[in-house]
Amino acid sequence: NALHKDSVRALQFCKTNPNNIVSVGKRKGVFTSTIEGKKLEVRRVDDPANCMLFMDENRFCVGDDAGGITVFDLRQKDKLFKIEEHHEYVSDMCLHKDGKSLVAVSGDGTLAVYNMKQKGKLVAMSDPNEDEFLCCEIMKNCSKVFCGSVSGVLNIFSWGDFGDLNDRLPGIKESTNSIVKLSENTLLTGGEDGIIRVCGVFPNKIKGILSEHISSQTAKPETIERLSLSKDGEILASCAHDSTVKLWTLNEAYRLDRGEESRCAKRTREENFFAGMDI
């Protein structure tokens, strides 16, 4: 069943009921539905939604194209409150382990931290950067925040010092659209070139290549829009512009995380040692 009449931009499973999902999209609808597609409830945001994040079992926030962040609770239909600090689209959000500090990044090149226990009170906002921020992840036991960008560079902020970034991890030549934490010292990146990379944190370096999201029709790499790690940390999913989701095993990534030498020093398309399964 087609709940959305236009593109779906983000979805997450409900923590209280794993058979239900919340999805957001271009048409401003926030749908709660079953995994079979049965509509359960509809909420609305003021502008096209771009990303979403569950903060606990019931509360979730939706970032939109106009820079707003709307907070909802599954137990009630109306919004709890809305944050309006960014000047362009909110591209990604992540939550500190304290459960109250929400990190959001935006196409206006800023990173902001909000206190969600004080109705989204702005705690800190970085100076605008020339680069658009596309994704974010809290690393190194919550002492660092990594932000992927249109240029591909990973921009690094120290927690509590958000005025300006204090380090960078270069080496990725095209946009970094998604990053996920593998461990406190290692993250995975995906972006425009279709390559899934394993990156180390302090020392900041690209440790190796996990694989490539290659179209089965064109045999060419496809732009990765989103990476997602399974709850047990054993499987990585990538979705790309070829309209497929591929699943990857992570043995090689964990080997690199432990500092061991890669078993595949030179990666080619034909060496599909991670047999990505299409969905």
Side-chain angles (χ1 to χ4, degrees), residues 170-191:
I172 303 174
K173 303 301 182 182
E174 298 181 69
S175 68
T176 299
N177 299 334
S178 184
I179 55 181
V180 295
K181 181 194 296 186
L182 187 70
S183 71
E184 294 298 337
N185 301 310
T186 302
L187 53 83
L188 306 174
T189 70

Side-chain angles (χ1 to χ4, degrees), residues 142-154:
C142 295
S143 64
K144 300 291 179 179
V145 182
F146 278 64
C147 303
S149 65
V150 167
S151 70
V153 173
L154 296 180

Side-chain angles (χ1 to χ4, degrees), residues 137-140 180-189 197-202 205 207 229 253-254 256-259:
E137 187 63 89
I138 300 172
M139 300 291 297
K140 209 66 177 176
V180 295
K181 181 194 296 186
L182 187 70
S183 71
E184 294 298 337
N185 301 310
T186 302
L187 53 83
L188 306 174
T189 70
R197 292 177 173 84
V198 183
C199 299
V201 178
F202 295 99
K205 64 178 183 179
K207 292 183 176 182
L229 199 63
Y254 283 115
L256 292 169
D257 179 40
R258 294 191 297 267

Side-chain angles (χ1 to χ4, degrees), residues 214-230:
I214 297 174
S215 169
S216 58
Q217 295 182 343
T218 66
K220 295 180 180 180
E222 291 284 347
T223 296
I224 295 172
E225 284 294 338
R226 182 67 61 179
L227 298 174
S228 183
L229 199 63
S230 64

Side-chain angles (χ1 to χ4, degrees), residues 191-192 194 212-226 237-248 276-279:
E192 189 172 351
E212 294 175 273
H213 191 121
I214 297 174
S215 169
S216 58
Q217 295 182 343
T218 66
K220 295 180 180 180
E222 291 284 347
T223 296
I224 295 172
E225 284 294 338
R226 182 67 61 179
S238 63
C239 65
H241 285 187
D242 60 352
S243 299
T244 67
V245 175
K246 291 181 181 288
L247 304 180
W248 311 93
M277 181 176 70
D278 290 358
I279 296 179

